[in-house]
Structures are given as C-alpha cells and as structure tokens.
Amino acid sequence: MMGRQEAGQAPLFYAFNLEDHVPANHLLRGIDQFLDLGELHQHLAPHYSHTGRPSVDPALLIRMLIVGYCFGVRSERRLCEEVHLNLAYRWFCRLGLEDAVPDHSTFSKNRHGRFRDNDTLRFVFEKVLERCLAEGLVGGEGFAIDASVIKADANRQKGVPGADVAWDRESPLTRPVREYLEALDDAEAPRTPPKNVSLTDPAAQWTAAPGGPAFYAYSTNYLIDVKAGVIVDVEATPAYRTDEVEATRTMVDRVEQRFNLKPTRLIGDTAYGTSEMLGWMVDEKDIEPHVPVWDKAQRKDGTLGRSDFTWDADAAEYRCPRGKPLRSSGKPTADNTLIYRSNFHDCAGCELKSKCCPNTTHRKIARQVNEAARDVARQLAKTKRYEQSRRHRKKVEMLFAHLKRILKLDRLRLRGLKGARDEFLLAATAQNLRRMAAWLMPKRPEGAMAMAH
C-alpha cells in the first residue's frame, strides 16, 4: 500500500544533536582529530584590544577557511552559505543550529589585517606539520622540490609594457600596487623591467606554457617529504624560474631552523641542477643532489666533448686524449666559470685536431666553479637510489594535480605576492590535513571516499 506523509502539527520541542548527524567516516571527522588550534588565541592576543566588543573567534574563521580549501569552495560569500546550510560544516566549525555564521566581509578584514600582520596562516600550517611529525608521517631522509604555475587574478588584456609603466605615488593606490612598490623600494639591486606588467596585480609574472597563450601568474613552490607526501614547506614566488630555484634555499633553511630537519637527499628536475644550486647542496648543506645536471657542454657536431678530457684534481688541469695539459689563469668569468686552454704548439701538430678544435687554433674548456658538485650529481645519477628518487618525484606532481583538480586552486582570488602566499599556505595546510585523515583514520567505504572528494 502506498504511504502518504501526514502533515500534522509540528512538535513544540526538538531533541537535536549535531554529533549524531555527522557520519563517522566523514572526512571532516578525520581532519578535526588532527587539527589543534589551542595556541591560536595566544598567538593572536597582541593584535586584539583588551576592551570593547568581542570579535568573531579567530579559530572559527580558520576552521571555516580550512573547510573552504578542503572542499574547493573558493568564494568566501559562498563559503558562509555552505557553512550555514551544511550540518557537517557547522559541526566542524563548532557552531550550533542557532549560532550565526560570520559575514563574508569579516574574512577580508582579518586576512589583510591581523592574520597577515602576525603570519597566522604560516603558524597554522606549521602546527599541522608538527602533528604530521608527531604521527610519524615525515621521514626526514628525502625531500622533493618542484613548482607549479597558478594563474593570478589579473586580466591579461589589462597590462602595459614593463618599460612604460609609471605609478602615481601621490594618488591612492590599491593594496597589491602598494605592496609591489614597497618590494621594489626594499630590493637590494634593481631588476630588469618585465616584459608586461599588470596594472591590477603588478607582482604577477607574465608567463606562458608551451603552445598556449601568455597570462599573469604566480608559482607555488612545494618542499615535500617523500615518505608520505607531506608538505614540509611552501613558498609563493612570481612565475619566474630564478625565483622558483631560489625559493628552495629559503624553504630548506627554514625547515632546518624551525624543525631541525635536513634531508639526506634532495630530489628535483633539471631546473634545480644549475651550478650554483648544486654547489649549495653539496658544499654548504651536505645534501645529496638527486637532480639532473644542467649541462650544455656536450657537443653535437661529432667533435670531442668535455667528457673526452680527463680532469686532474691534484694539478688543477685537464688532460686531452693525447695527455697534453689544458690550464687556466684561475680568474673566473662573469658567469662563474674558469676557462682552460691548451698550448697552441701542442694542438698545431696533433692528429686529433680535426676532431677536437677544427675551427680554432687551440682547445678551450669551460669549467664551472662548482664543477666538483656537478660531478657528484653525475655520479649519483648512475645509482639505483637515483632511479628510486625519480619515482618519488612524482609525489609532488600528484600534489599539484590534487591542488588544481580537487581543491580547485587553478586561479587565485587574492592579489599580490602576499595574497598568493596566503592562498598557498591554506591550500598546503588543507592537503596535509587530508593526508593525515587518509593515512591515519580507519579505512572508509567507497561511498564515503567519494563523498570526501
């Protein structure tokens, strides 16, 4: 028999408990178990007055932001609506059924004010990382480094050539423009004007993927531990290769200083195989460079390459296949290389001259100042540990795919380098929390896994 719902008089009282309506295998239960904001109030106390009307609890704002970044809710206005309607979100944010959800404008005031002034989002990120360490998800033996380009909130049509841009500092300027000009004023050395500058977000870099149109973007740089793919540090830079590589030093030093973690090996692609970076890894940090060497010395015309010459470390000279020396003056060039030259008379009567230096009177070899570190990387590339590192490097690429496809962070909402830093820190925090929930919580049914994503 067909049943019908009876519309009787509604009861006057309800017995309702949010705890009973959040599934035991919900992703937020796992995240809540590993998120500890107990020290947040003490961290932010200097930025609040001791008198006046109580503010919105900063822990509530952080929890709401984590919900947004965990589930790809990018709009703060929509986030407030979702928290208002979703029982699981209310439970995670410690809100009862009758508690009011903060207005979306509250996020802007706190993000650009107290949170940014006190580096609160990095504080939260590092607290989550501490929990990852405590749970044994960070091995500390191998780190992988990589960068991914994220589009900036800047119209590619609203830009001017870098050499033509002029800012009127007397008129009111937007926050991203003020931050950009302050960074220029604080820079130790002048930088070459970029090809294109956005008038709305001048710190964004004009870049292009191979075969695609150019756009304004920032790079998120991840330093991950390869044991479980936990992000141990994150840094925002303009989408510029030099800045991305330099961010590696910042992150490795910061993790060592704050958590006493220094990897045995550092894994990266060819972009991190420059002479300066390899010298820093090997000579300064004593880290094995599991990266391909950036090397353009090999010849493609069939003539003898540098590998055909033998390096004599004791005599600090090269030896050609006929045993003749190539010596240097010892004075490096502007690009930090030493030029080793053979003797003109040795080359004049050599039967290998047509294969060695057919177009010059004698042979020259350029050797990087950090060539010894480059040789270390070349030797490591022949080992089985290096082959394993190549597979481990995919873990950071998978995190970037998750960042863009699941967390929906393929375009920034905040402008300026500080805005990009805030977004990347929150996204990395969300990814670490999700990783802990996935690894440490009891296995969930397939339906619950689908709901979590």
Side-chain angles (χ1 to χ4, degrees):
M1 183 176 70
M2 181 184 299
R4 291 180 178 272
Q5 183 179 6
E6 296 183 3
Q9 183 177 0
L12 296 177
F13 302 98
Y14 289 91
F16 190 90
N17 187 358
L18 273 177
E19 183 76 26
D20 299 334
H21 292 268
V22 179
N25 53 17
H26 196 283
L27 176 64
L28 283 179
R29 282 197 180 272
I31 292 175
D32 184 68
Q33 180 177 336
F34 302 110
L35 178 64
D36 183 7
L37 299 178
E39 299 179 21
L40 180 64
H41 296 91
Q42 181 181 356
H43 176 78
L44 283 169
H47 291 264
Y48 284 88
S49 172
H50 297 290
T51 60
R53 181 180 177 184
S55 70
V56 176
D57 189 345
L60 169 59
L61 298 179
I62 293 295
R63 284 181 174 273
M64 289 181 65
L65 286 171
I66 287 175
V67 167
Y69 279 82
C70 277
F71 294 95
V73 183
R74 304 299 320 287
S75 166
E76 291 167 357
R77 189 185 296 271
R78 184 185 159 215
L79 174 62
C80 293
E81 295 174 354
E82 292 290 333
V83 172
H84 177 74
L85 295 172
N86 192 301
L87 294 181
Y89 295 175
R90 275 187 171 271
W91 171 85
F92 179 77
C93 294
R94 308 292 193 264
L95 291 172
L97 284 178
E98 297 181 354
D99 292 333
V101 177
D103 188 77
H104 65 89
S105 62
T106 306
F107 289 98
S108 298
K109 294 178 182 178
N110 283 274
R111 269 188 166 185
H112 298 139
R114 298 184 184 95
F115 289 179
R116 188 169 292 177
D117 295 340
N118 212 21
D119 214 3
T120 299
L121 299 182
R122 178 160 291 280
F123 173 82
V124 174
F125 169 80
E126 292 183 350
K127 285 299 176 183
V128 172
L129 178 57
E130 285 179 4
R131 186 60 184 268
C132 293
L133 289 166
E135 296 290 344
L137 294 184
V138 178
E141 186 273 334
F143 285 177
I145 180 73
D146 206 354
S148 184
V149 174
I150 307 292
K151 291 182 179 180
D153 184 25
N155 192 329
R156 60 189 300 268
Q157 305 297 333
K158 296 182 179 180
V160 296
D164 298 341
V165 66
W167 306 103
D168 182 9
R169 301 197 181 208
E170 301 299 327
S171 60
L173 300 173
T174 61
R175 183 183 293 105
V177 173
R178 289 200 309 271
E179 293 173 358
Y180 173 73
L181 295 177
E182 289 170 1
L184 290 181
D185 294 338
D186 295 339
E188 296 180 359
R191 188 168 178 173
T192 304
K195 181 178 180 181
N196 255 304
V197 173
S198 168
L199 297 178
T200 54
D201 192 354
Q205 182 73 29
W206 181 252
T207 187
F215 54 91
Y216 294 105
Y218 290 94
S219 287
T220 177
N221 299 269
Y222 275 7
L223 183 68
I224 74 161
D225 183 87
V226 297
K227 179 180 179 180
V230 170
I231 305 166
V232 294
D233 206 354
V234 56
E235 186 72 12
T237 63
Y240 187 65
R241 181 60 58 84
T242 303
D243 291 341
E244 294 171 358
V245 175
E246 284 301 312
T248 305
R249 305 189 191 204
T250 301
M251 291 189 289
V252 170
D253 288 340
R254 184 162 52 205
V255 171
E256 182 179 6
Q257 177 185 359
R258 299 190 182 183
F259 298 97
N260 196 27
L261 279 177
K262 190 182 78 170
T264 303
R265 57 193 169 106
L266 186 62
I267 307 164
D269 58 22
T270 310
Y272 303 92
T274 61
S275 171
E276 294 79 8
M277 183 57 61
L278 292 173
W280 174 78
M281 289 188 217
V282 175
D283 300 328
E284 293 187 32
K285 305 300 292 185
D286 193 23
I287 297 174
E288 290 185 358
H290 286 224
V291 297
V293 178
W294 182 277
D295 194 353
K296 296 184 178 181
Q298 294 299 324
R299 298 188 171 190
K300 300 180 180 179
D301 57 359
T303 58
L304 299 179
R306 185 170 58 189
S307 59
D308 297 307
F309 292 72
T310 304
W311 171 249
D312 187 342
D314 295 331
E317 63 185 24
Y318 279 99
R319 291 278 177 174
C320 76
R322 288 290 178 262
K324 300 299 181 180
L326 286 78
R327 298 189 175 96
S328 170
S329 65
K331 184 178 180 180
T333 62
D335 59 348
N336 254 352
T337 60
L338 295 172
I339 305 300
Y340 289 80
R341 297 178 174 86
S342 64
N343 187 287
F344 168 78
H345 300 288
D346 291 338
C347 292
C350 181
E351 63 272 20
L352 293 178
K353 187 177 187 304
S354 60
K355 292 184 177 180
C356 181
C357 50
N359 301 320
T360 58
T361 58
H362 60 286
R363 180 61 185 262
K364 296 189 295 184
I365 293 179
R367 179 181 174 86
Q368 293 284 341
V369 172
N370 297 307
E371 193 66 30
R374 285 156 59 90
D375 289 339
V376 170
R378 293 188 184 100
Q379 292 301 318
L380 286 170
K382 302 175 184 178
T383 64
K384 291 184 177 180
R385 290 185 295 120
Y386 182 86
E387 295 178 5
Q388 184 183 30
S389 294
R390 293 296 90 196
R391 294 190 292 271
H392 284 163
R393 198 177 73 84
K394 296 179 181 179
K395 292 185 178 182
V396 66
E397 296 174 351
M398 292 170 62
L399 281 169
F400 288 141
H402 180 268
L403 177 73
K404 296 178 180 180
R405 297 178 184 178
I406 306 301
L407 304 191
K408 310 298 183 184
L409 189 59
D410 55 353
R411 182 185 176 95
L412 296 172
R413 291 192 65 252
L414 303 183
R415 292 174 177 169
L417 186 59
K418 292 182 179 179
R421 185 181 301 122
D422 290 349
E423 293 220 56
F424 295 156
L425 277 168
L426 278 167
T429 302
Q431 287 182 297
N432 280 347
L433 286 168
R434 291 176 65 112
R435 181 57 53 95
M436 276 194 286
W439 277 60
L440 303 176
M441 290 293 288
K443 295 299 181 181
R444 293 170 283 171
E446 293 184 2
M449 289 294 291
M451 179 180 62
H453 292 286

mmCIF file of all heavy atoms in Angstrom, residues 80-117:
data_model
loop_
_atom_site.group_PDB
_atom_site.id
_atom_site.type_symbol
_atom_site.label_atom_id
_atom_site.label_comp_id
_atom_site.label_asym_id
_atom_site.label_seq_id
_atom_site.Cartn_x
_atom_site.Cartn_y
_atom_site.Cartn_z
ATOM 1 N N CYS A 80 30.285 31.032 3.414
ATOM 2 C CA CYS A 80 29.370 31.354 4.520
ATOM 3 C C CYS A 80 28.015 30.687 4.313
ATOM 4 O O CYS A 80 27.397 30.195 5.267
ATOM 5 C CB CYS A 80 29.222 32.863 4.644
ATOM 6 S SG CYS A 80 30.736 33.719 5.168
ATOM 7 N N GLU A 81 27.545 30.644 3.081
ATOM 8 C CA GLU A 81 26.271 29.983 2.793
ATOM 9 C C GLU A 81 26.360 28.479 3.027
ATOM 10 O O GLU A 81 25.442 27.869 3.590
ATOM 11 C CB GLU A 81 25.858 30.267 1.346
ATOM 12 C CG GLU A 81 25.567 31.743 1.061
ATOM 13 C CD GLU A 81 25.313 32.000 -0.410
ATOM 14 O OE1 GLU A 81 25.489 31.039 -1.208
ATOM 15 O OE2 GLU A 81 24.951 33.131 -0.772
ATOM 16 N N GLU A 82 27.474 27.868 2.616
ATOM 17 C CA GLU A 82 27.635 26.431 2.789
ATOM 18 C C GLU A 82 27.718 26.052 4.264
ATOM 19 O O GLU A 82 27.140 25.054 4.698
ATOM 20 C CB GLU A 82 28.896 25.952 2.048
ATOM 21 C CG GLU A 82 28.820 26.043 0.537
ATOM 22 C CD GLU A 82 27.846 25.033 -0.038
ATOM 23 O OE1 GLU A 82 27.625 23.984 0.594
ATOM 24 O OE2 GLU A 82 27.282 25.301 -1.115
ATOM 25 N N VAL A 83 28.466 26.845 5.045
ATOM 26 C CA VAL A 83 28.561 26.560 6.476
ATOM 27 C C VAL A 83 27.203 26.732 7.142
ATOM 28 O O VAL A 83 26.846 26.007 8.072
ATOM 29 C CB VAL A 83 29.619 27.467 7.137
ATOM 30 C CG1 VAL A 83 29.602 27.321 8.662
ATOM 31 C CG2 VAL A 83 31.003 27.136 6.598
ATOM 32 N N HIS A 84 26.429 27.690 6.661
ATOM 33 C CA HIS A 84 25.091 27.917 7.212
ATOM 34 C C HIS A 84 24.185 26.709 6.969
ATOM 35 O O HIS A 84 23.374 26.347 7.840
ATOM 36 C CB HIS A 84 24.484 29.175 6.593
ATOM 37 C CG HIS A 84 23.088 29.461 7.043
ATOM 38 N ND1 HIS A 84 22.782 29.953 8.292
ATOM 39 C CD2 HIS A 84 21.893 29.305 6.409
ATOM 40 C CE1 HIS A 84 21.479 30.093 8.414
ATOM 41 N NE2 HIS A 84 20.908 29.709 7.277
ATOM 42 N N LEU A 85 24.314 26.058 5.806
ATOM 43 C CA LEU A 85 23.389 25.004 5.413
ATOM 44 C C LEU A 85 23.876 23.599 5.754
ATOM 45 O O LEU A 85 23.067 22.719 6.033
ATOM 46 C CB LEU A 85 23.125 25.084 3.901
ATOM 47 C CG LEU A 85 22.403 26.340 3.399
ATOM 48 C CD1 LEU A 85 22.406 26.364 1.874
ATOM 49 C CD2 LEU A 85 20.985 26.389 3.925
ATOM 50 N N ASN A 86 25.188 23.380 5.734
ATOM 51 C CA ASN A 86 25.744 22.034 5.857
ATOM 52 C C ASN A 86 25.972 21.677 7.324
ATOM 53 O O ASN A 86 26.723 22.354 8.028
ATOM 54 C CB ASN A 86 27.060 21.944 5.072
ATOM 55 C CG ASN A 86 27.543 20.517 4.917
ATOM 56 O OD1 ASN A 86 27.779 19.824 5.897
ATOM 57 N ND2 ASN A 86 27.697 20.097 3.677
ATOM 58 N N LEU A 87 25.354 20.601 7.779
ATOM 59 C CA LEU A 87 25.470 20.214 9.180
ATOM 60 C C LEU A 87 26.883 19.798 9.543
ATOM 61 O O LEU A 87 27.366 20.104 10.635
ATOM 62 C CB LEU A 87 24.499 19.067 9.479
ATOM 63 C CG LEU A 87 23.005 19.378 9.378
ATOM 64 C CD1 LEU A 87 22.191 18.140 9.727
ATOM 65 C CD2 LEU A 87 22.629 20.543 10.293
ATOM 66 N N ALA A 88 27.561 19.098 8.639
ATOM 67 C CA ALA A 88 28.933 18.672 8.927
ATOM 68 C C ALA A 88 29.852 19.870 9.048
ATOM 69 O O ALA A 88 30.741 19.898 9.908
ATOM 70 C CB ALA A 88 29.425 17.722 7.831
ATOM 71 N N TYR A 89 29.652 20.878 8.186
ATOM 72 C CA TYR A 89 30.470 22.088 8.282
ATOM 73 C C TYR A 89 30.215 22.813 9.596
ATOM 74 O O TYR A 89 31.145 23.311 10.240
ATOM 75 C CB TYR A 89 30.175 23.015 7.107
ATOM 76 C CG TYR A 89 30.564 22.470 5.741
ATOM 77 C CD1 TYR A 89 30.244 23.172 4.582
ATOM 78 C CD2 TYR A 89 31.237 21.261 5.615
ATOM 79 C CE1 TYR A 89 30.586 22.687 3.332
ATOM 80 C CE2 TYR A 89 31.582 20.764 4.370
ATOM 81 C CZ TYR A 89 31.261 21.481 3.233
ATOM 82 O OH TYR A 89 31.607 21.003 1.997
ATOM 83 N N ARG A 90 28.939 22.886 10.001
ATOM 84 C CA ARG A 90 28.608 23.533 11.275
ATOM 85 C C ARG A 90 29.276 22.793 12.444
ATOM 86 O O ARG A 90 29.835 23.407 13.343
ATOM 87 C CB ARG A 90 27.091 23.557 11.474
ATOM 88 C CG ARG A 90 26.385 24.720 10.811
ATOM 89 C CD ARG A 90 24.916 24.770 11.184
ATOM 90 N NE ARG A 90 24.297 25.995 10.709
ATOM 91 C CZ ARG A 90 24.244 27.131 11.389
ATOM 92 N NH1 ARG A 90 24.788 27.186 12.588
ATOM 93 N NH2 ARG A 90 23.668 28.202 10.884
ATOM 94 N N TRP A 91 29.215 21.478 12.388
ATOM 95 C CA TRP A 91 29.819 20.681 13.468
ATOM 96 C C TRP A 91 31.323 20.937 13.544
ATOM 97 O O TRP A 91 31.879 21.132 14.623
ATOM 98 C CB TRP A 91 29.536 19.206 13.204
ATOM 99 C CG TRP A 91 30.291 18.280 14.116
ATOM 100 C CD1 TRP A 91 29.930 17.880 15.370
ATOM 101 C CD2 TRP A 91 31.546 17.660 13.845
ATOM 102 N NE1 TRP A 91 30.877 17.048 15.895
ATOM 103 C CE2 TRP A 91 31.891 16.888 14.983
ATOM 104 C CE3 TRP A 91 32.410 17.672 12.749
ATOM 105 C CZ2 TRP A 91 33.067 16.137 15.053
ATOM 106 C CZ3 TRP A 91 33.588 16.936 12.815
ATOM 107 C CH2 TRP A 91 33.896 16.177 13.955
ATOM 108 N N PHE A 92 31.997 20.942 12.403
ATOM 109 C CA PHE A 92 33.446 21.149 12.372
ATOM 110 C C PHE A 92 33.821 22.545 12.862
ATOM 111 O O PHE A 92 34.853 22.728 13.517
ATOM 112 C CB PHE A 92 33.970 20.942 10.945
ATOM 113 C CG PHE A 92 35.450 21.160 10.800
ATOM 114 C CD1 PHE A 92 36.348 20.188 11.225
ATOM 115 C CD2 PHE A 92 35.943 22.338 10.241
ATOM 116 C CE1 PHE A 92 37.728 20.396 11.098
ATOM 117 C CE2 PHE A 92 37.306 22.547 10.109
ATOM 118 C CZ PHE A 92 38.196 21.571 10.530
ATOM 119 N N CYS A 93 32.974 23.541 12.556
ATOM 120 C CA CYS A 93 33.245 24.932 12.949
ATOM 121 C C CYS A 93 32.766 25.248 14.362
ATOM 122 O O CYS A 93 32.806 26.415 14.785
ATOM 123 C CB CYS A 93 32.593 25.888 11.956
ATOM 124 S SG CYS A 93 33.310 25.806 10.300
ATOM 125 N N ARG A 94 32.280 24.220 15.075
ATOM 126 C CA ARG A 94 31.812 24.400 16.452
ATOM 127 C C ARG A 94 30.615 25.356 16.528
ATOM 128 O O ARG A 94 30.477 26.136 17.462
ATOM 129 C CB ARG A 94 32.927 24.903 17.367
ATOM 130 C CG ARG A 94 34.213 24.092 17.337
ATOM 131 C CD ARG A 94 33.990 22.717 17.957
ATOM 132 N NE ARG A 94 35.246 22.049 18.212
ATOM 133 C CZ ARG A 94 35.819 21.162 17.396
ATOM 134 N NH1 ARG A 94 35.213 20.860 16.231
ATOM 135 N NH2 ARG A 94 36.942 20.574 17.707
ATOM 136 N N LEU A 95 29.754 25.304 15.535
ATOM 137 C CA LEU A 95 28.554 26.139 15.500
ATOM 138 C C LEU A 95 27.326 25.286 15.766
ATOM 139 O O LEU A 95 27.171 24.203 15.181
ATOM 140 C CB LEU A 95 28.413 26.824 14.136
ATOM 141 C CG LEU A 95 29.427 27.913 13.787
ATOM 142 C CD1 LEU A 95 29.253 28.339 12.335
ATOM 143 C CD2 LEU A 95 29.284 29.117 14.703
ATOM 144 N N GLY A 96 26.451 25.762 16.640
ATOM 145 C CA GLY A 96 25.183 25.091 16.853
ATOM 146 C C GLY A 96 24.184 25.480 15.779
ATOM 147 O O GLY A 96 24.458 26.322 14.914
ATOM 148 N N LEU A 97 22.988 24.874 15.850
ATOM 149 C CA LEU A 97 21.969 25.161 14.834
ATOM 150 C C LEU A 97 21.534 26.621 14.860
ATOM 151 O O LEU A 97 21.166 27.185 13.825
ATOM 152 C CB LEU A 97 20.751 24.262 15.056
ATOM 153 C CG LEU A 97 20.891 22.802 14.609
ATOM 154 C CD1 LEU A 97 19.626 22.049 14.934
ATOM 155 C CD2 LEU A 97 21.188 22.733 13.118
ATOM 156 N N GLU A 98 21.534 27.247 16.013
ATOM 157 C CA GLU A 98 21.054 28.619 16.130
ATOM 158 C C GLU A 98 22.183 29.643 16.114
ATOM 159 O O GLU A 98 21.921 30.846 16.185
ATOM 160 C CB GLU A 98 20.233 28.768 17.415
ATOM 161 C CG GLU A 98 18.982 27.908 17.437
ATOM 162 C CD GLU A 98 18.183 28.101 18.711
ATOM 163 O OE1 GLU A 98 18.671 28.822 19.610
ATOM 164 O OE2 GLU A 98 17.079 27.536 18.815
ATOM 165 N N ASP A 99 23.440 29.199 16.033
ATOM 166 C CA ASP A 99 24.568 30.130 16.019
ATOM 167 C C ASP A 99 24.671 30.798 14.654
ATOM 168 O O ASP A 99 24.514 30.156 13.607
ATOM 169 C CB ASP A 99 25.875 29.406 16.333
ATOM 170 C CG ASP A 99 25.909 28.928 17.778
ATOM 171 O OD1 ASP A 99 25.240 29.556 18.614
ATOM 172 O OD2 ASP A 99 26.603 27.929 18.060
ATOM 173 N N ALA A 100 24.972 32.078 14.686
ATOM 174 C CA ALA A 100 25.108 32.846 13.439
ATOM 175 C C ALA A 100 26.457 32.579 12.786
ATOM 176 O O ALA A 100 27.478 32.429 13.460
ATOM 177 C CB ALA A 100 24.947 34.334 13.725
ATOM 178 N N VAL A 101 26.455 32.533 11.453
ATOM 179 C CA VAL A 101 27.689 32.374 10.680
ATOM 180 C C VAL A 101 28.265 33.757 10.414
ATOM 181 O O VAL A 101 27.526 34.686 10.055
ATOM 182 C CB VAL A 101 27.398 31.650 9.350
ATOM 183 C CG1 VAL A 101 28.652 31.549 8.508
ATOM 184 C CG2 VAL A 101 26.820 30.266 9.628
ATOM 185 N N PRO A 102 29.587 33.955 10.583
ATOM 186 C CA PRO A 102 30.177 35.282 10.338
ATOM 187 C C PRO A 102 29.911 35.762 8.915
ATOM 188 O O PRO A 102 29.787 34.968 7.979
ATOM 189 C CB PRO A 102 31.674 35.057 10.580
ATOM 190 C CG PRO A 102 31.742 33.856 11.451
ATOM 191 C CD PRO A 102 30.581 32.999 11.066
ATOM 192 N N ASP A 103 29.831 37.065 8.757
ATOM 193 C CA ASP A 103 29.639 37.651 7.435
ATOM 194 C C ASP A 103 30.917 37.491 6.612
ATOM 195 O O ASP A 103 32.025 37.474 7.151
ATOM 196 C CB ASP A 103 29.300 39.138 7.566
ATOM 197 C CG ASP A 103 28.907 39.742 6.233
ATOM 198 O OD1 ASP A 103 27.778 39.515 5.779
ATOM 199 O OD2 ASP A 103 29.770 40.426 5.634
ATOM 200 N N HIS A 104 30.746 37.406 5.302
ATOM 201 C CA HIS A 104 31.906 37.187 4.430
ATOM 202 C C HIS A 104 32.917 38.327 4.500
ATOM 203 O O HIS A 104 34.116 38.130 4.270
ATOM 204 C CB HIS A 104 31.442 36.982 2.985
ATOM 205 C CG HIS A 104 30.792 38.198 2.383
ATOM 206 N ND1 HIS A 104 31.512 39.173 1.729
ATOM 207 C CD2 HIS A 104 29.489 38.599 2.361
ATOM 208 C CE1 HIS A 104 30.683 40.114 1.309
ATOM 209 N NE2 HIS A 104 29.452 39.787 1.683
ATOM 210 N N SER A 105 32.470 39.530 4.807
ATOM 211 C CA SER A 105 33.393 40.666 4.888
ATOM 212 C C SER A 105 34.372 40.523 6.044
ATOM 213 O O SER A 105 35.452 41.127 6.029
ATOM 214 C CB SER A 105 32.605 41.971 5.031
ATOM 215 O OG SER A 105 31.847 41.967 6.236
ATOM 216 N N THR A 106 34.031 39.726 7.055
ATOM 217 C CA THR A 106 34.920 39.518 8.191
ATOM 218 C C THR A 106 36.220 38.858 7.769
ATOM 219 O O THR A 106 37.286 39.134 8.330
ATOM 220 C CB THR A 106 34.221 38.642 9.253
ATOM 221 O OG1 THR A 106 32.964 39.228 9.585
ATOM 222 C CG2 THR A 106 35.060 38.506 10.504
ATOM 223 N N PHE A 107 36.156 37.991 6.756
ATOM 224 C CA PHE A 107 37.362 37.312 6.301
ATOM 225 C C PHE A 107 38.360 38.316 5.715
ATOM 226 O O PHE A 107 39.563 38.236 5.973
ATOM 227 C CB PHE A 107 37.007 36.255 5.252
ATOM 228 C CG PHE A 107 36.304 35.068 5.827
ATOM 229 C CD1 PHE A 107 34.925 34.968 5.777
ATOM 230 C CD2 PHE A 107 37.012 34.050 6.441
ATOM 231 C CE1 PHE A 107 34.266 33.869 6.305
ATOM 232 C CE2 PHE A 107 36.363 32.947 6.977
ATOM 233 C CZ PHE A 107 34.984 32.864 6.906
ATOM 234 N N SER A 108 37.877 39.254 4.918
ATOM 235 C CA SER A 108 38.772 40.237 4.309
ATOM 236 C C SER A 108 39.477 41.071 5.366
ATOM 237 O O SER A 108 40.691 41.319 5.293
ATOM 238 C CB SER A 108 37.984 41.148 3.362
ATOM 239 O OG SER A 108 37.421 40.402 2.298
ATOM 240 N N LYS A 109 38.735 41.502 6.375
ATOM 241 C CA LYS A 109 39.325 42.342 7.417
ATOM 242 C C LYS A 109 40.413 41.602 8.176
ATOM 243 O O LYS A 109 41.454 42.165 8.514
ATOM 244 C CB LYS A 109 38.234 42.818 8.381
ATOM 245 C CG LYS A 109 37.218 43.751 7.746
ATOM 246 C CD LYS A 109 36.125 44.140 8.742
ATOM 247 C CE LYS A 109 35.077 45.041 8.090
ATOM 248 N NZ LYS A 109 33.981 45.385 9.033
ATOM 249 N N ASN A 110 40.174 40.328 8.466
ATOM 250 C CA ASN A 110 41.157 39.559 9.228
ATOM 251 C C ASN A 110 42.307 39.065 8.356
ATOM 252 O O ASN A 110 43.457 39.063 8.793
ATOM 253 C CB ASN A 110 40.475 38.379 9.917
ATOM 254 C CG ASN A 110 39.701 38.795 11.156
ATOM 255 O OD1 ASN A 110 40.241 38.896 12.239
ATOM 256 N ND2 ASN A 110 38.411 39.072 10.972
ATOM 257 N N ARG A 111 42.004 38.661 7.146
ATOM 258 C CA ARG A 111 43.063 38.170 6.255
ATOM 259 C C ARG A 111 44.089 39.263 5.961
ATOM 260 O O ARG A 111 45.293 39.023 5.987
ATOM 261 C CB ARG A 111 42.460 37.685 4.942
ATOM 262 C CG ARG A 111 42.091 36.220 4.925
ATOM 263 C CD ARG A 111 41.690 35.811 3.531
ATOM 264 N NE ARG A 111 41.649 34.366 3.389
ATOM 265 C CZ ARG A 111 41.428 33.753 2.236
ATOM 266 N NH1 ARG A 111 41.213 34.459 1.148
ATOM 267 N NH2 ARG A 111 41.413 32.444 2.170
ATOM 268 N N HIS A 112 43.614 40.446 5.649
ATOM 269 C CA HIS A 112 44.513 41.536 5.288
ATOM 270 C C HIS A 112 45.013 42.313 6.501
ATOM 271 O O HIS A 112 45.822 43.225 6.360
ATOM 272 C CB HIS A 112 43.806 42.500 4.321
ATOM 273 C CG HIS A 112 43.410 41.849 3.035
ATOM 274 N ND1 HIS A 112 42.188 42.091 2.422
ATOM 275 C CD2 HIS A 112 44.036 40.961 2.252
ATOM 276 C CE1 HIS A 112 42.105 41.373 1.314
ATOM 277 N NE2 HIS A 112 43.220 40.689 1.190
ATOM 278 N N GLY A 113 44.506 41.965 7.673
ATOM 279 C CA GLY A 113 44.903 42.669 8.887
ATOM 280 C C GLY A 113 45.666 41.768 9.829
ATOM 281 O O GLY A 113 46.847 41.497 9.641
ATOM 282 N N ARG A 114 44.972 41.269 10.852
ATOM 283 C CA ARG A 114 45.631 40.520 11.920
ATOM 284 C C ARG A 114 46.342 39.277 11.412
ATOM 285 O O ARG A 114 47.473 38.991 11.802
ATOM 286 C CB ARG A 114 44.606 40.125 12.983
ATOM 287 C CG ARG A 114 43.931 41.300 13.684
ATOM 288 C CD ARG A 114 43.004 40.806 14.778
ATOM 289 N NE ARG A 114 42.271 41.903 15.401
ATOM 290 C CZ ARG A 114 41.062 42.277 15.041
ATOM 291 N NH1 ARG A 114 40.446 41.635 14.059
ATOM 292 N NH2 ARG A 114 40.447 43.279 15.646
ATOM 293 N N PHE A 115 45.673 38.488 10.563
ATOM 294 C CA PHE A 115 46.266 37.238 10.112
ATOM 295 C C PHE A 115 47.567 37.480 9.357
ATOM 296 O O PHE A 115 48.560 36.775 9.561
ATOM 297 C CB PHE A 115 45.287 36.472 9.218
ATOM 298 C CG PHE A 115 44.115 35.890 9.960
ATOM 299 C CD1 PHE A 115 43.121 35.190 9.288
ATOM 300 C CD2 PHE A 115 43.999 36.024 11.334
ATOM 301 C CE1 PHE A 115 42.038 34.637 9.963
ATOM 302 C CE2 PHE A 115 42.922 35.478 12.025
ATOM 303 C CZ PHE A 115 41.946 34.784 11.341
ATOM 304 N N ARG A 116 47.568 38.478 8.494
ATOM 305 C CA ARG A 116 48.767 38.732 7.689
ATOM 306 C C ARG A 116 49.856 39.407 8.513
ATOM 307 O O ARG A 116 51.039 39.083 8.370
ATOM 308 C CB ARG A 116 48.392 39.589 6.481
ATOM 309 C CG ARG A 116 49.509 39.746 5.478
ATOM 310 C CD ARG A 116 49.004 40.373 4.187
ATOM 311 N NE ARG A 116 48.106 39.484 3.461
ATOM 312 C CZ ARG A 116 47.488 39.804 2.330
ATOM 313 N NH1 ARG A 116 47.655 41.022 1.821
ATOM 314 N NH2 ARG A 116 46.706 38.948 1.718
ATOM 315 N N ASP A 117 49.479 40.333 9.382
ATOM 316 C CA ASP A 117 50.476 41.036 10.188
ATOM 317 C C ASP A 117 51.204 40.097 11.139
ATOM 318 O O ASP A 117 52.371 40.319 11.473
ATOM 319 C CB ASP A 117 49.811 42.164 10.997
ATOM 320 C CG ASP A 117 49.250 43.255 10.104
ATOM 321 O OD1 ASP A 117 49.688 43.336 8.938
ATOM 322 O OD2 ASP A 117 48.366 44.014 10.562
#
